[in-house]
Amino acid sequence: MVYRQIVPEGVTDWNVLNALKSVPREIFVPERIQPRAYMDQHIYVDSYKFFLKPVIFGKLLEKAHFTKNDFVLNLNCQGGYTTFVLAKMTKMVVGIEKNINSFYFAEDFQEEHQIDNVAFFNTEDLTFLKKQSLFDAIFIDSIIPRIPEHIEDYLTDSGRLICVTLPLDSNIGTAGIYIKKQGNLELNFSIETDLKSFPRILKIDTEESDN
């Protein structure tokens, strides 16, 4: 994956490449689709959980310029795959996982591999984060229709938000990096990607609620 897909697309940051090599992507996806884990495509698990295709994931990691001083929040962390990749490049990562089975899986992987710069929380209520220090970066591991309101309140000045947005009336998503400047988020880097195969439960729910 690293040398056949990501490097040929121009990702050369050794910290990114080493992090991607160090975390076995296939064990974080359901067994039925593990053969697709390293293919150059998005992996859809359900309408709230997906894995970015490796090339886009690698480019976002490189363009976000993570450092060993960064304190990072990983929302909807999908059993910990992105969390553990980020942990290879940063000081500390907080992973939020609302699915209890995925939460236990992440904790088991953390214990087995003795990873000490990660903390997982099984919750949907993020108010407790306001008592934490502000984050240098937030990585949202889900396809969302828009940037969450007030998410910038959790970021330091010049903090980065990395997420994939997909408007309800479109099939083209934006994998983007936003920088907090003077209290607002500004798009700093983006890649458009075709997401027409993504299950649109969010869209169905919205349409039904409008009737």
Side-chain angles (χ1 to χ4, degrees):
M1 177 186 78
V2 171
Y3 294 111
R4 293 186 179 183
Q5 298 177 41
I6 298 174
V7 172
E9 290 294 327
V11 178
T12 58
D13 187 316
W14 175 246
N15 290 326
V16 172
L17 301 179
N18 183 58
L20 290 170
K21 286 171 57 180
S22 300
V23 183
R25 179 178 166 102
E26 74 278 3
I27 72 170
F28 292 90
V29 301
E31 184 175 358
R32 71 182 188 278
I33 54 178
Q34 284 183 353
R36 295 165 47 201
Y38 294 100
M39 295 177 68
D40 186 27
Q41 60 182 223
H42 302 306
I43 297 177
Y44 303 106
V45 179
D46 57 40
S47 60
Y48 301 99
K49 184 174 182 179
F50 89 121
F51 290 79
L52 274 171
K53 64 169 61 180
V55 168
I56 292 180
F57 185 48
K59 285 186 176 182
L60 289 176
L61 293 176
E62 183 172 65
K63 295 295 185 180
H65 302 297
F66 290 105
T67 75
K68 283 294 184 180
N69 294 319
D70 283 337
F71 181 39
V72 182
L73 174 64
N74 183 201
L75 293 176
N76 193 34
C77 65
Q78 308 189 125
Y81 174 67
T82 299
T83 313
F84 294 123
V85 171
L86 291 170
K88 291 286 184 178
M89 299 185 289
T90 63
K91 182 177 182 179
M92 180 71 189
V93 187
V94 174
I96 305 296
E97 175 56 76
K98 63 182 180 181
N99 181 282
I100 189 63
N101 292 326
S102 296
F103 170 75
Y104 286 140
F105 180 89
E107 285 205 322
D108 288 344
F109 186 93
Q110 178 184 8
E111 181 177 359
E112 178 182 354
H113 294 272
Q114 299 181 329
I115 301 169
D116 59 7
N117 65 330
V118 166
F120 289 104
F121 295 90
N122 174 227
T123 182
E124 295 185 57
D125 183 2
L126 301 182
T127 55
F128 78 98
L129 292 174
K130 294 181 179 179
K131 299 178 181 179
Q132 306 285 329
S133 299
L134 294 177
F135 294 94
D136 299 295
I138 298 174
F139 197 116
I140 302 178
D141 261 328
S142 56
I143 298 176
I144 53 180
R146 67 188 69 84
I147 295 174
E149 291 186 1
H150 307 301
I151 192 73
E152 67 275 9
D153 294 344
Y154 297 94
L155 285 169
T156 60
D157 291 334
S158 300
R160 295 90 81 202
L161 170 67
I162 304 97
C163 63
V164 179
T165 54
L166 178 63
L168 296 175
D169 58 353
S170 175
N171 290 320
I172 302 300
T174 299
I177 299 173
Y178 302 81
I179 307 295
K180 182 178 176 180
K181 296 181 179 180
Q182 297 182 340
N184 298 311
L185 291 172
E186 296 182 7
L187 183 62
N188 179 261
F189 173 80
S190 66
I191 305 173
E192 289 192 344
T193 183
D194 189 345
L195 296 171
K196 64 177 176 292
S197 299
F198 180 66
R200 297 305 295 266
I201 288 179
L202 290 174
K203 184 173 182 179
I204 294 171
D205 288 345
T206 301
E207 290 175 343
E208 289 179 348
S209 64
D210 289 341
N211 294 329

